[in-house]
């Protein structure tokens, strides 16, 4: 498969008189191949939006190499811009324009046939509301309009930053179906989102960013497998005795509420055999597979101590990072 | 071309632009209505009387000049009380006078197009300058602030092209509106002069002079629009342009002028942008300089005035506007758009 987006060693530092120097992206790598629905995850202020902005030529990278659809970005981005649909954060539209007029203006500016406007409105479910003014739209409708603006070009690559913002459950589902159908038609999708369940449902690949660096990347199932502790939930009549028996068999087990959690086991039949041989019959034996949320929280350290309010950019130290080289005093800005 | 067309549509759809156009129409309507209400077609008697008064006034000026010359030559018989005459009689020479009394001066309540066209045009140009500056600043300022420019750059990732299209659309629209508005404005007052007042002496010189003011006014409107656009681009906000102008007016035009006068600096007016705007618009502006005649011999007439003419004034205005516009393009090309 050919690479649709390639980022190598992207670094971006922001300077301001008030806040000084802030490294937003620090040697970040990203590879998105053709046909993927690629999830892009990271806590607030981790550098997701800065990465997307740099890729789309909206901020100047300090260093690194980027390409979009095979063309170096941002130098030759105009060559492929007609095939890249993107929304970065929530775009603002003129409130006194109708949805249709908003898209028509963009179509004109981008040299896209105006006939595409109706198709895009139809795709995002705004066909019957296209002649209403944008200022009357709900947040979810504005988000749909933003997605419609990205779809106007009939893109080969779709970059969506938080597309589910403001959408109701039905809207989220429609957005998921839309992304799937686009991917099925050959469109590569890069989607950043905080709704990890959604990413796990729709994405086949994922890249996780924390403190401006990539902390995980690959197929979703491979990333999850990499964090599988081979744990099983076991329900038996005598949990304490079961723990003793499993320890005697050199297995690690702890009582968790009214059940046991056994880890480090690749073959679950070992558990039932050890307990069954001693007359303890297993009532439930459930593998505890990691989900994207647990992997995300583990990698980014975002859920370390629930009793302490987490500050923006409070993330786990990066593997291999010496000390704390990154000043992440973002103060609420999603960089 | 598509980009410019799209920008033209965006510009014309802006509420602020529409509001300013409504204000322009209102100002125009009020001025025309009050002029019409306060003017009447002069009767033959009124005209005859005014003509006689104007002739008499011109004759009085000529007599005073001749008496001044006669006194200088010692041929004026002594009179009681003796009239005042300047040392240099050329000061009251009617030929050198900027303006001689005319019939319209003696027709109260009668609108004279030939007399009023120029001040009316100045008023319109002042409004259009304000219009261009505010629209130029808000057009890009609001777009930068709301993310509209980012949205557009996702479609056309060529920053200079996008900013250039915006500036082109702005200047083209402002110029078209200004030309149409000013021509309609002058035509309306010409009709009022013809039907409910006095047309006055509309010679070729008059139209050439009015045309020159009009042309210079249109250039000034374009410069103001570009200036508002450039400052708002540099400051990322509409308010940056408004703040910059307010700060300039208070700090430089008022504060620095006061300081320059206190330290008795030479020709402080030529350091003020307002002087150059005036010189450009009127063709030439004269300023008083106390030190200009400091070295002149006693008894020799010396004019303590110096002039700013339209040529150097235009150069100053072009350098400032061009410099700020170029800076805006350079900064916009390199800026992080967050």
């Amino acid at each position: 498969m050919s690479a649709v987006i390639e980022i190598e060693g992207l670094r971006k530092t922001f300077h301001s008189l008030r806040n000084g120097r802030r490294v937003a992206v620090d040697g970040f790598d990203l590879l998105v191949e053709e046909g993927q629905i690629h999830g892009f995850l990271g806590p607030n202020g981790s550098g997701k939006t800065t990465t997307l902005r740099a890729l789309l030529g909206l901020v100047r990278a300090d260093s690194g190499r980027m390409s979009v659809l095979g063309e170096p970005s941002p130098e030759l981005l105009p060559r492929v811009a007609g095939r890249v649909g993107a929304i970065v954060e929530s775009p603002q539209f003129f409130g006194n324009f109708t949805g249709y007029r908003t898209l028509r203006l963009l179509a004109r500016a981008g040299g896209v046939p105006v006939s595409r406007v109706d198709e895009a409105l139809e795709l995002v479910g705004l066909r019957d509301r296209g002649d209403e003014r944008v200022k009357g739209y709900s947040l979810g409708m504005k988000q749909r309009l933003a997605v419609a603006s990205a779809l106007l070009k009939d893109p080969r690559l779709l970059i969506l930053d938080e597309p589910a913002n403001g959408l109701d459950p039905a809207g989220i589902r429609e957005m998921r179906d839309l992304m799937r159908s686009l991917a099925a038609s050959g469109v590569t999708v890069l989607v950043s989102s905080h709704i990890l369940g959604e990413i796990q449902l729709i994405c086949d690949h994922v890249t996780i960013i924390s403190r401006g660096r990539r902390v995980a990347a690959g197929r979703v199932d491979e990333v999850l497998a990499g964090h599988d502790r081979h744990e099983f939930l076991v329900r038996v009549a005598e949990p304490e005795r079961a723990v003793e028996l499993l320890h005697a068999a050199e297995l690690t087990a702890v009582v968790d509420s009214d059940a046991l959690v056994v880890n480090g086991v690749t073959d679950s039949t070992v558990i039932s055999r050890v307990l069954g041989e001693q007359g303890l019959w297993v009532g439930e034996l459930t593998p505890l597979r990691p989900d994207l949320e647990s992997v995300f929280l583990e990698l980014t350290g975002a859920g370390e101590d629930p009793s302490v309010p987490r500050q923006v950019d409070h993330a786990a130290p990066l593997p291999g990072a010496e000390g704390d080289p990154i000043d992440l005093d973002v103060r609420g800005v999603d960089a | 071309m598509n980009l410019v067309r799209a920008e033209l549509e965006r510009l014309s759809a802006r509420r602020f632009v529409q509001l300013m156009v409504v204000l322009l129409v209102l100002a125009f309507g009020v001025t025309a209505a009050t002029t019409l209400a306060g003017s009447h077609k002069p009767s033959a008697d009124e005209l005859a009387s005014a003509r006689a008064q104007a002739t008499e006034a011109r004759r009085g000026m000529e007599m005073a000049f001749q008496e001044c010359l006669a006194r200088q030559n010692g041929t004026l018989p002594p009179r009681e009380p003796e009239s005042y005459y300047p040392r240099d009689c050329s000061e009251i020479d009617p030929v050198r006078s900027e303006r001689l009394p005319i019939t319209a001066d003696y027709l109260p309540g009668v609108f004279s197009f030939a007399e009023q066209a120029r001040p009316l045009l100045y008023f319109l140009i002042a409004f259009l300058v304000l219009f261009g500056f505010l629209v130029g600043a808000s057009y890009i300022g609001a777009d930068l602030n709301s993310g509209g420019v980012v949205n557009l750059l996702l479609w056309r990732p060529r920053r200079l092209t996008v900013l250039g299209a915006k500036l082109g659309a702005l200047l083209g629209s402002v110029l078209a509106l200004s030309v149409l508005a000013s021509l309609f404005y002058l035509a309306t007052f010409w009709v009022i002069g013809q039907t409910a007042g006095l047309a006055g002496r509309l010679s070729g010189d008059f139209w050439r002079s009015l045309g020159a003011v009009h042309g210079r006014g249109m250039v000034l409107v374009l410069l103001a629009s570009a200036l508002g656009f450039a400052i708002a681009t540099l400051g990322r906000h509409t308010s940056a342009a408004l703040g910059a102008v307010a700060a300039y007016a208070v700090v430089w035009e008022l504060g620095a002028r006061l300081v320059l006068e206190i330290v008795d600096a030479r020709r402080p007016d030529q350091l003020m942008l307002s002087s150059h705007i005036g010189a450009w618009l009127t063709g030439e502006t004269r300023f008083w300089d106390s030190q200009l005649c400091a070295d002149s011999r006693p008894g020799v007439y010396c004019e303590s005035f110096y002039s700013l003419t339209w040529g150097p004034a235009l150069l100053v205005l072009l350098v400032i506007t061009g410099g700020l516009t170029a800076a805006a393009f350079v900064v916009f090309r390199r800026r992080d758009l967050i």
Side-chain angles (χ1 to χ4, degrees):
Chain A
M1 276 191 198
S2 62
V4 174
I5 295 175
E6 275 185 291
I7 298 178
E8 283 178 18
L10 176 67
R11 186 179 168 82
K12 175 63 187 176
T13 309
F14 289 106
H15 302 269
S16 77
L17 289 175
R18 197 170 56 174
N19 297 328
R21 173 178 164 274
R22 179 172 65 81
V23 178
V25 183
D26 188 22
F28 179 72
D29 300 323
L30 174 70
L31 176 66
V32 179
E33 293 185 323
E34 194 172 359
Q36 289 181 354
I37 303 183
H38 196 110
F40 187 26
L41 308 178
N44 287 341
S46 58
K48 292 190 304 294
T49 302
T50 300
T51 300
L52 295 181
R53 286 182 186 277
L55 184 68
L56 295 166
L58 299 174
V59 302
R60 293 170 66 85
D62 302 336
S63 59
R65 194 182 68 79
M66 296 178 286
S67 71
V68 177
L69 293 171
E71 298 289 354
S73 181
E75 298 82 11
L76 298 181
L77 187 61
R79 277 192 191 172
V80 292
R83 287 176 285 154
V84 179
I87 57 169
V88 182
E89 290 188 323
S90 294
Q92 302 293 311
F93 299 111
F94 271 124
N96 57 333
F97 278 15
T98 63
Y100 180 87
R101 191 176 183 189
T102 300
L103 296 187
R104 192 189 65 193
L105 273 178
L106 285 172
R108 270 194 192 154
V112 171
V114 176
S115 59
R116 275 289 299 165
V117 172
D118 287 323
E119 294 171 36
L121 285 171
E122 171 88 36
L123 275 173
V124 299
L126 283 177
R127 182 193 58 201
D128 300 330
R129 308 292 291 272
D131 56 354
E132 290 179 19
R133 291 189 176 196
V134 173
K135 67 182 173 189
Y137 280 13
S138 67
L139 181 61
M141 287 166 71
K142 285 178 184 165
Q143 198 63 19
R144 287 168 189 258
L145 184 64
V147 174
S149 74
L151 293 173
L152 263 183
K153 299 175 190 173
D154 200 6
R156 266 191 63 203
L157 168 63
L158 197 57
I159 298 172
L160 303 173
D161 189 12
E162 300 290 352
N165 263 0
L167 293 182
D168 54 21
I172 291 174
R173 185 172 185 165
E174 287 161 19
M175 194 62 69
R176 188 197 311 156
D177 293 343
L178 176 64
M179 276 188 251
R180 279 189 180 141
S181 68
L182 287 167
S185 66
V187 177
T188 306
V189 182
L190 174 66
V191 55
S192 88
S193 177
H194 288 115
I195 305 175
L196 302 172
E198 276 303 306
I199 294 285
Q200 192 167 349
L201 275 174
I202 59 172
C203 294
D204 43 44
H205 287 72
V206 68
T207 295
I208 301 177
I209 184 173
S210 180
R211 293 190 164 200
R213 293 189 193 173
R214 187 174 76 180
V215 291
R219 290 189 58 84
V220 172
D221 50 4
E222 288 171 1
V223 169
L224 295 178
H227 290 78
D228 191 349
R229 292 175 185 160
H230 305 289
E231 289 180 327
F232 289 86
L233 183 82
V234 182
R235 287 187 198 280
V236 289
E238 299 171 66
E240 281 77 16
R241 187 171 159 235
V243 168
E244 287 174 15
L245 292 172
L246 291 166
H247 283 172
E250 298 183 341
L251 294 174
T252 308
V254 291
V255 176
D256 182 14
S257 188
D258 60 341
L260 302 180
V261 175
V262 185
N263 58 37
V265 180
T266 49
D267 181 4
S268 61
T269 59
V270 173
I271 298 170
S272 47
R273 183 173 50 78
V274 167
L275 297 177
E277 280 174 357
Q278 299 301 320
L280 273 179
W281 305 111
V282 174
E284 182 185 344
L285 183 61
T286 310
L288 296 175
R289 300 275 182 241
D291 59 10
L292 205 48
E293 181 174 287
S294 61
V295 172
F296 175 83
L297 294 176
E298 181 186 327
L299 286 170
T300 62
E304 278 176 340
D305 186 353
S307 65
V308 180
R310 188 179 70 85
Q311 303 304 304
V312 171
D313 287 318
H314 183 177
L318 298 167
E322 288 183 15
D324 185 9
I326 309 167
D327 171 15
L328 284 164
D329 181 18
V330 175
R331 304 192 183 179
V333 176
D334 188 0
Chain B
M1 198 58 211
N2 283 334
L3 187 56
V4 174
R5 271 181 62 200
E7 284 305 313
L8 285 173
E9 190 172 345
R10 281 158 67 90
L11 179 62
S12 61
R14 293 190 69 83
R15 281 290 166 88
F16 184 73
V17 175
Q18 292 168 352
L19 177 70
M20 288 300 285
V21 172
V22 168
L23 283 178
L24 173 67
V25 172
L26 266 179
F28 168 63
V30 168
T31 315
T34 50
T35 304
L36 192 60
S39 179
H40 65 276
K41 190 90 181 158
S43 64
D45 288 347
E46 277 181 298
L47 272 176
S49 166
R51 277 195 195 107
Q53 288 178 70
T55 307
E56 179 61 29
R58 287 195 295 270
R59 202 170 60 81
M61 287 173 73
E62 182 60 34
M63 273 181 62
F65 175 58
Q66 293 302 333
E67 284 174 4
C68 179
L69 289 176
R71 198 197 64 162
Q72 233 172 31
N73 299 333
T75 55
L76 184 68
R79 285 192 303 187
E80 285 296 335
E82 189 171 335
S83 303
Y84 166 76
Y85 296 105
R87 284 173 182 271
D88 183 356
C89 292
S90 66
E91 278 184 58
I92 59 168
D93 183 356
V95 177
R96 296 183 60 183
S97 174
E98 284 182 6
R99 184 179 178 282
L100 291 172
I102 58 169
T103 307
D105 297 344
Y106 300 94
L107 285 170
V110 175
F111 169 75
S112 167
F113 179 76
E115 289 305 300
Q116 297 298 318
R118 192 181 268 249
L120 282 169
L121 187 57
Y122 284 149
F123 166 71
L124 184 71
I125 288 168
F127 186 95
L128 290 172
V129 164
L130 180 72
F131 175 90
F133 184 85
L134 293 179
V135 167
S138 74
Y139 174 45
I140 187 69
D143 245 14
L144 281 170
N145 203 21
S146 70
V149 169
V150 167
N151 211 17
L152 195 55
L153 284 171
L154 292 176
W155 279 77
R156 295 287 290 260
R158 295 180 188 275
R159 293 191 180 199
L160 297 186
T161 306
V162 166
L163 196 66
K166 281 185 173 292
L167 181 59
L170 170 75
L171 296 182
S173 306
V174 169
L175 181 63
L177 180 79
S178 299
V179 169
L180 285 176
S182 51
L183 292 180
F184 185 62
Y185 181 80
L186 287 173
T188 302
F189 283 102
W190 179 82
V191 171
I192 291 174
Q194 294 285 350
T195 56
L198 200 65
R201 198 170 165 202
L202 307 178
S203 62
D205 281 347
F206 166 82
W207 288 115
R208 267 191 295 279
S209 166
L210 195 67
V213 172
H214 181 257
R216 288 197 295 261
M218 295 302 103
V219 171
L220 196 61
V221 171
L222 290 182
L223 289 174
S225 307
L227 195 67
F229 183 89
I231 300 175
T233 303
L234 288 168
R236 296 176 188 247
H237 285 273
T238 308
S239 54
L242 306 182
V245 168
Y248 168 78
V250 172
V251 173
W252 192 249
E253 291 276 348
L254 295 177
R257 187 189 294 271
L258 200 64
V259 171
L260 290 169
E261 282 177 10
I262 289 170
V263 301
D264 223 9
R266 294 209 63 181
R267 303 186 177 191
D269 290 293
Q270 68 181 2
L271 300 174
M272 303 294 155
L273 207 51
S274 57
S275 306
H276 294 282
I277 292 172
W280 165 246
L281 200 55
T282 57
E284 181 180 352
T285 311
R286 300 179 81 206
F287 296 100
W288 187 71
D289 180 8
S290 62
Q291 297 181 37
L292 214 58
C293 293
D295 301 331
S296 64
R297 283 179 292 144
V300 175
Y301 176 68
C302 172
E303 272 198 329
S304 294
F305 289 93
Y306 67 97
S307 293
L308 280 181
T309 54
W310 66 267
L314 177 62
L315 189 66
V316 168
L317 297 176
L318 281 177
V319 166
I320 290 172
T321 310
L324 283 170
T325 306
F329 272 78
V330 169
V331 167
F332 184 73
R333 183 170 174 269
R334 301 183 55 83
R335 171 181 285 163
D336 287 338
L337 295 168
I338 298 172

